Amino acid sequence: MTTIADRISIAQSQIAQAAQNCSRNSEEVTLLAVSKTKPITDIIEAYQAGQRCFGENYVQEGEDKVIALRQDYQDIEWHFIGPLQSNKSRIIAEHFDWMHTLSRDKIAKRLNEQRPKDKPPLQVCIQVNISNEASKSGVSPEEVSQLAQIIDDLPHLTLRGLMAIPTATEDVSIQRQEFAQLENLYLVLKQQYPSVDTLSMGMSSDLAIAIEHGSTMVRIGTGIFGSRA
Ligand SMILES: *Cc1c(COP(=O)(O)O)cnc(C)c1O
C-alpha cells in the first residue's frame, strides 16, 4: 500500500524532475500539502515524513487543526488557501502564517488590524483571476498593482506574491497561456517590491507547466492524502 510518506516523496521527485527539465533549482519550489477535509492523523503522518507546509481551505476546520497541533508541531507553516468572507478574517489573522487568496482591500485592512502584534506579519499572496471567469474569485490582472500597493503599506502584512487557480482544462495551450500571463505579472511585481518571492500556482495535473513558468509553490491535496469524500 502506498503511504502518505510515499506520495510525498513521489510529489517531491515530480517537482525535482520538472525543475530539472527547465534548468531551475528544485529548492526554489515548495510543496504545499493541501490537507483540507483530512484528519489530523494524516497531517501528523505527513509531518513525520518531513512535510512542514500545509494548506487549508475552510476557516473553521483550519482553526481547529491549528489549535490542535500548534503545541506539539510548532514548526508547521499554516497556509490558508480558501475563499474568505470578511467576517471570518480574525480567525485567519490569529491562526495562520500565510493567506493565499487575498483579493479585497477591505479584507487586507481587517487582517492587518486583527493580526496579533506579537506575531510576525501575515504573509500574503494576491489571488489573480487569470481565467477571467466571473464565477472565480481573485482580482483581474489590471487590479493587481493597486491592491499590492495597499498591502505593502500595511505593517502587519507582508506581500509575498501571487496565487491563481487557472481554468480547469486539459488543453495545454490554454494552461501555458495562463501561466505565462501570471509569470509576467509576477515578474513585474517582484521588480517593484523586494518582499515578493512567491508564485503559488500549479497542482498535481499541471505541476510541470507551472514550474516551467516560474511557480515557487505547488499545491497538492489528493496526490498526497488521497481523494476526498
Ligand atoms: C483543494 C485545492 C488544491 C489541491 O487540490 P487537489 O486536487 O486535492 O490536489 C489546491 N489549491 C486549492 C486552492 C485548493 O482549493
Side-chain angles (χ1 to χ4, degrees), residues 5 8 11 16 32 46 67 75 81-82 84 101 107 111 113 115 121 139 151 158 161 169 173 200 203 217 221 226 228:
I8 287 172
L32 183 63
I67 290 173
D75 59 346
I81 62 170
L84 180 63
T101 50
I107 293 186
L111 289 168
E113 281 162 20
R115 183 69 171 169
V139 301
I151 294 167
T158 300
T169 173
S173 70
S200 167
M203 301 169 36
M217 200 173 284
R228 288 179 293 273

Coordinates of all heavy atoms in Angstrom, one line a residue, residues 5 8 11 16 32 46 67 75 81-82 84 101 107 111 113 115 121 139 151 158 161 169 173 200 203 217 221 226 228:
A5 N 3.7 9.1 3.2 CA 5.2 9.4 3.0 C 5.6 9.0 1.6 O 6.4 9.8 1.0 CB 6.0 8.6 4.1
I8 N 4.3 11.7 -0.7 CA 5.1 13.0 -0.6 C 6.4 12.8 -1.4 O 6.8 13.7 -2.1 CB 5.4 13.3 0.8 CG1 4.1 13.8 1.5 CG2 6.5 14.4 1.0 CD1 4.1 14.0 3.0
A11 N 5.7 13.1 -5.1 CA 5.5 14.6 -5.4 C 6.8 15.3 -5.5 O 7.0 16.1 -6.4 CB 4.5 15.2 -4.5
A16 N 11.2 17.8 -8.6 CA 12.6 17.8 -8.9 C 12.8 17.6 -10.4 O 13.6 18.3 -11.1 CB 13.4 16.8 -8.1
L32 N 3.3 22.5 -1.1 CA 2.3 22.8 -0.1 C 1.3 21.6 -0.1 O 0.7 21.3 -1.1 CB 1.5 24.1 -0.5 CG 0.5 24.6 0.5 CD1 1.1 24.9 1.9 CD2 -0.2 25.8 0.0
A46 N 2.2 13.1 7.5 CA 2.9 13.9 6.5 C 4.1 14.6 7.2 O 5.2 14.7 6.7 CB 2.0 14.9 5.8
I67 N -5.2 24.8 16.2 CA -5.2 24.8 17.6 C -4.8 23.4 18.2 O -4.1 23.3 19.1 CB -6.6 25.2 18.1 CG1 -6.8 26.7 17.9 CG2 -6.8 24.9 19.6 CD1 -8.2 27.2 18.2
D75 N 6.7 24.0 14.3 CA 7.3 24.4 13.0 C 6.5 24.1 11.8 O 6.9 24.3 10.7 CB 8.7 23.9 12.8 CG 8.8 22.4 12.9 OD1 7.8 21.7 13.3 OD2 9.8 21.8 12.5
I81 N -5.8 28.8 2.0 CA -5.9 28.9 0.5 C -7.4 28.9 0.0 O -7.6 28.7 -1.2 CB -5.1 27.7 -0.2 CG1 -5.7 26.4 0.2 CG2 -3.7 27.8 0.2 CD1 -5.2 25.2 -0.6
G82 N -8.3 29.1 0.9 CA -9.7 29.0 0.5 C -10.3 30.4 0.4 O -9.7 31.4 0.7
L84 N -12.4 33.6 1.6 CA -12.5 34.2 2.9 C -13.6 35.3 2.9 O -13.5 36.3 2.2 CB -11.2 34.7 3.4 CG -11.2 35.4 4.8 CD1 -11.6 34.4 5.9 CD2 -9.8 36.0 5.1
T101 N -5.3 33.9 -0.7 CA -6.4 34.3 -1.5 C -6.9 35.7 -1.3 O -8.1 36.0 -1.3 CB -7.6 33.3 -1.3 OG1 -7.8 33.2 0.2 CG2 -7.2 31.9 -1.8
I107 N -10.6 43.4 3.2 CA -10.1 42.2 3.9 C -8.6 42.4 4.3 O -8.2 42.1 5.4 CB -10.4 40.9 3.2 CG1 -11.9 40.7 3.1 CG2 -9.6 39.7 3.8 CD1 -12.3 39.4 2.5
L111 N -7.4 42.2 8.1 CA -6.3 41.3 8.5 C -5.2 42.0 9.2 O -4.6 41.5 10.2 CB -5.8 40.5 7.3 CG -6.8 39.4 6.7 CD1 -6.2 39.0 5.4 CD2 -7.0 38.2 7.6
E113 N -5.4 44.8 10.9 CA -5.8 45.3 12.2 C -5.9 44.1 13.2 O -5.6 44.3 14.4 CB -7.2 46.0 12.1 CG -7.1 47.4 11.7 CD -8.5 47.9 11.2 OE1 -9.5 47.3 11.6 OE2 -8.5 48.9 10.4
R115 N -4.2 41.2 13.1 CA -3.0 40.3 13.2 C -2.5 40.6 14.6 O -2.2 41.8 15.0 CB -2.0 40.7 12.2 CG -0.7 39.8 12.2 CD -1.0 38.4 11.9 NE 0.2 37.6 11.7 CZ 0.2 36.3 11.6 NH1 -1.0 35.6 11.6 NH2 1.3 35.6 11.4
P121 N 4.4 39.5 10.7 CA 3.3 39.8 9.8 C 2.7 38.6 9.1 O 3.4 37.6 8.9 CB 4.0 40.7 8.8 CG 5.2 41.2 9.4 CD 5.6 40.2 10.4
V139 N -8.6 39.0 -8.1 CA -8.6 40.3 -8.8 C -8.3 40.1 -10.3 O -7.6 39.1 -10.6 CB -7.7 41.4 -8.2 CG1 -8.1 41.6 -6.7 CG2 -6.2 40.9 -8.3
I151 N -1.5 46.6 0.2 CA -0.9 45.6 1.1 C 0.5 46.1 1.6 O 0.8 46.0 2.8 CB -0.8 44.3 0.4 CG1 -2.2 43.7 0.1 CG2 0.0 43.3 1.2 CD1 -2.3 42.5 -0.8
T158 N 2.8 41.1 5.0 CA 3.9 41.2 4.1 C 3.5 40.6 2.7 O 3.0 39.5 2.6 CB 5.1 40.3 4.6 OG1 5.5 40.8 5.9 CG2 6.3 40.3 3.6
G161 N 3.5 37.6 -2.9 CA 3.4 37.3 -4.4 C 2.0 37.1 -4.8 O 1.0 37.7 -4.3
T169 N -8.8 22.8 -17.4 CA -8.8 22.3 -18.8 C -7.7 21.3 -19.0 O -6.7 21.3 -18.3 CB -8.6 23.5 -19.8 OG1 -8.5 23.0 -21.1 CG2 -7.4 24.3 -19.4
S173 N -2.3 24.3 -24.2 CA -2.0 25.6 -24.7 C -2.7 26.7 -23.9 O -2.2 27.8 -23.7 CB -2.3 25.7 -26.2 OG -3.7 25.7 -26.4
S200 N 2.3 31.2 -6.3 CA 1.6 30.0 -5.9 C 0.7 29.5 -7.0 O -0.4 30.0 -7.2 CB 0.8 30.4 -4.6 OG -0.1 29.4 -4.3
M203 N -1.0 22.5 -9.6 CA -1.5 21.4 -8.8 C -1.0 20.1 -9.4 O -0.2 20.2 -10.3 CB -3.0 21.6 -8.7 CG -3.4 22.9 -8.1 SD -5.0 23.6 -8.1 CE -6.1 22.2 -7.9
M217 N 5.6 27.6 -5.6 CA 4.8 26.8 -4.7 C 3.7 26.1 -5.4 O 2.9 26.7 -6.0 CB 4.2 27.8 -3.6 CG 3.8 27.0 -2.3 SD 3.3 28.1 -1.0 CE 4.8 28.8 -0.4
G221 N -3.2 18.2 -3.0 CA -4.0 17.6 -2.0 C -4.2 16.1 -2.2 O -3.5 15.3 -1.6
G226 N -4.9 11.3 -0.9 CA -5.9 10.5 -1.5 C -7.2 11.3 -1.7 O -7.2 12.5 -1.3
R228 N -10.9 13.0 -1.8 CA -11.8 13.5 -0.7 C -13.2 12.9 -0.8 O -13.7 12.8 -1.9 CB -11.7 15.0 -0.7 CG -10.4 15.6 -0.2 CD -10.5 17.1 -0.2 NE -10.6 17.6 -1.6 CZ -9.6 17.9 -2.4 NH1 -8.3 17.7 -1.9 NH2 -9.7 18.3 -3.6

